[in-house]
């Protein structure tokens, strides 16, 4: 076996350095230097509220999940808020409001070339009521930089309908399937009032709805996770509709 000891290798011309021939196996011993980056997952930046994402900063997002200076690529998950459930018709009323719809979700592998900052919008979960409120839109939009960053937008779920007279409240539509991500998933529909004690709110990709038991609770239980629709208010006083699940944005950073 022959051995060559050198401190540096450079091309004689051009910018391509070739080591070995086709079919050869090249072994590089020792610790990889800057010329051979190992790559891989660096960490996760979490946004539970509005903010600004600056690639390479270490104070993005929430405490404990601020970002890594070595980031070159990201995968973004965007979850919008779910719509709130509507309350029952009134004192002593047996007519329920409708459940809220789930918020939309997307997963995207964007190009961060020459992007210096991105505006992040994460909606809070809306409160149930008569009527409840629709879920807010989650989005990421280029704020500065000369590169091209396609805006990511996920719509929130609709609010459950309030009862009218002797008519149960209508269930809400889940958010439409987004068009700005690489993977796009719409929100689930919320059932209308009076559809039984197993009624659930509209599902989301990142949330699981709750069912209420008639007579067992006076307000709709909050769903688990993010982007879930709020459940319709039960007939027990005060019969308040459940809150919609808040939005969430996750930015997975890679070297």
């Amino acid at each position: 076996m022959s051995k060559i000891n050198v401190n540096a290798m450079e091309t004689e011309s051009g910018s391509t350095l070739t080591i070995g021939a086709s079919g050869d196996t090249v072994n590089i011993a020792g610790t990889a230097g800057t010329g051979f980056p190992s790559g891989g997952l660096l960490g996760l930046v979490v946004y539970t509220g509005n903010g600004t994402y600056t690639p390479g900063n270490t104070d993005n997002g929430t405490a404990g999940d601020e970002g890594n200076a070595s980031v070159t690529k990201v995968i973004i998950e965007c979850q919008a808020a779910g719509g709130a459930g509507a309350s029952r018709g009134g004192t002593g009323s047996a007519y329920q409001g409708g459940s809220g719809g789930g918020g939309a979700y997307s997963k995207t592998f964007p190009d961060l070339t020459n992007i210096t900052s991105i505006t992040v919008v994460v909606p809070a979960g809306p409160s149930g009521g008569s009527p409840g409120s629709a879920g807010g839109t989650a989005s990421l939009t280029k704020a500065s930089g000369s590169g091209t960053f396609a805006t990511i937008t996920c719509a929130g779920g609709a609010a459950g309908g309030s009862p009218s007279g002797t008519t149960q409240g209508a269930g809400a539509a889940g958010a439409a399937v987004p068009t700005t991500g690489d993977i796009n998933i719409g929100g689930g529909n919320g059932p209308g009032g009076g559809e039984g004690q197993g009624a659930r709110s509209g599902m989301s990709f990142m949330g699981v709805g709750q069912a209420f038991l008639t007579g067992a609770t006076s307000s709709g239980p909050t769903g688990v996770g993010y982007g879930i629709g709020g459940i319709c208010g039960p007939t027990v006083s005060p019969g308040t509709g459940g809150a919609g699940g808040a939005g969430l944005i996750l930015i997975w950073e890679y070297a």
Side-chain angles (χ1 to χ4, degrees), residues 190-221:
E195 294 193 19
Q197 65 179 21
R200 289 182 176 270
S201 50
M203 301 287 189
S204 70
F205 180 82
M206 301 181 77
V208 179
Q210 293 276 39
F212 72 81
L213 301 178
T214 301
T217 180
S218 60
S219 60

Side-chain angles (χ1 to χ4, degrees), residues 19-107:
I19 301 176
S22 177
D24 291 348
T25 298
V26 178
N27 294 320
I28 300 175
T31 302
T34 56
F36 298 92
S38 59
L41 178 66
L42 297 172
L44 173 64
V45 180
V46 179
Y47 285 90
T48 57
N50 297 345
T52 299
Y53 175 69
T54 302
N57 271 17
T58 56
D59 59 354
N60 294 303
T62 59
D65 299 292
E66 295 92 349
N68 192 292
S70 300
V71 62
T72 60
K73 297 175 286 291
V74 296
I75 293 175
I76 296 175
E77 293 187 79
C78 181
Q79 174 67 64
S87 301
R88 67 172 180 160
T91 303
S93 173
Y95 296 96
Q96 298 170 286
S99 294
Y105 164 91
S106 73
K107 180 180 285 187

